[in-house]
Amino acid sequence: MSLVLDPTAQDLLFREARTANTFTDEPVTDEQVQAIYDLVKYGPTAFNQSPLRITLVRSAEARERLVRHMAEGNRPKTATAPLVAILSADNEFHEELPALFPHFPAAKDLFFAERPVRESAAGMNAALQAAYFIIGVRAAGLAAGPMTGLDFAGVQKEFLDDDHTPLMVVNIGRPGPDAWHPRSPRLAYDDVVTTV
């Protein structure tokens, strides 16, 4: 059985998509980011909790503050990308559950009253949403450069608060010269899938 999605779209989202390391200076607009979010917000999360929060780093001053917290090898990429997004998990996501999960409003207090439970759920579900976000960037015809080489505590202190846990930084834009490293191998189906 073949996939229903057009092969060109499959290539755009997965087979030809790569982590970009350089970018052109073409701006990424707020309208593009809105379109990306309006698509990826439909990706599933447990209890529809939707804990991902996106901080767009646009000003030169904010960019400079962020670059200081990036690993040495990631600094030039973050300094020159047209747009940078800090993706974080909102550990107080449960406050939105009565609106996001209206058919079971008691879920807020029944399952997520304790902070450690919320942090665990927020981390896993925001990571799912971060993956959707990367795919959404690709669907917009842009390249994403997701990175976890950063000082997480420093980024949290600089840009977030104690209720938000940073997950990654994503550079966004049109790929520039020599944007791609050679594609790394992938595991074969039989190495990943087990039938029981």
Side-chain angles (χ1 to χ4, degrees):
M1 179 179 164
S2 62
L3 299 174
V4 174
L5 188 65
D6 178 80
T8 303
Q10 295 173 38
D11 288 344
L12 177 72
L13 299 179
F14 292 100
R15 284 192 289 262
E16 298 298 325
R18 308 285 281 288
T19 296
N21 294 291
T22 67
F23 298 89
T24 69
D25 58 3
E26 182 179 334
V28 176
T29 67
D30 288 336
E31 292 76 18
Q32 287 172 300
V33 177
Q34 176 80 49
I36 291 165
Y37 176 73
D38 285 343
L39 174 65
V40 303
K41 68 184 178 184
Y42 294 108
T45 57
F47 293 94
N48 197 34
Q49 60 189 248
S50 306
L52 181 71
R53 301 297 179 262
I54 304 165
T55 303
L56 299 178
V57 180
R58 285 205 181 273
S59 74
E61 180 268 334
R63 181 77 59 108
E64 187 176 309
R65 288 169 35 220
L66 176 60
V67 167
R68 288 196 302 256
H69 297 291
M70 301 304 295
E72 187 68 36
N74 290 334
R75 289 178 181 174
K77 296 181 265 192
T78 302
T80 58
L83 180 63
V84 181
I86 301 169
L87 304 187
S88 63
D90 182 357
N91 297 307
E92 297 298 312
F93 69 86
H94 68 306
E95 296 296 343
E96 304 291 341
L97 280 183
L100 293 174
F101 206 60
H103 53 284
F104 188 19
K108 172 183 181 273
D109 297 315
L110 187 61
F111 296 109
F112 300 109
E114 296 183 20
R115 176 71 179 233
V117 173
R118 290 197 306 274
E119 288 178 355
S120 176
M124 179 168 53
N125 287 280
L128 278 173
Q129 289 186 283
Y132 304 146
F133 181 80
I134 293 165
I135 300 301
V137 169
R138 294 171 175 180
L142 301 169
M147 300 174 296
T148 57
L150 56 112
D151 173 4
F152 286 90
V155 168
Q156 182 175 26
K157 184 175 180 183
E158 192 81 41
F159 292 96
L160 307 171
D161 58 33
D162 291 341
D163 290 332
H164 295 80
T165 303
L167 301 172
M168 67 183 67
V169 166
V170 182
N171 296 325
I172 304 168
R174 302 253 179 229
D178 300 317
W180 324 114
H181 294 307
R183 181 170 301 281
S184 297
R186 297 298 192 265
L187 293 173
Y189 177 87
D190 290 340
D191 294 330
V192 174
V193 177
T194 303
T195 302
V196 294

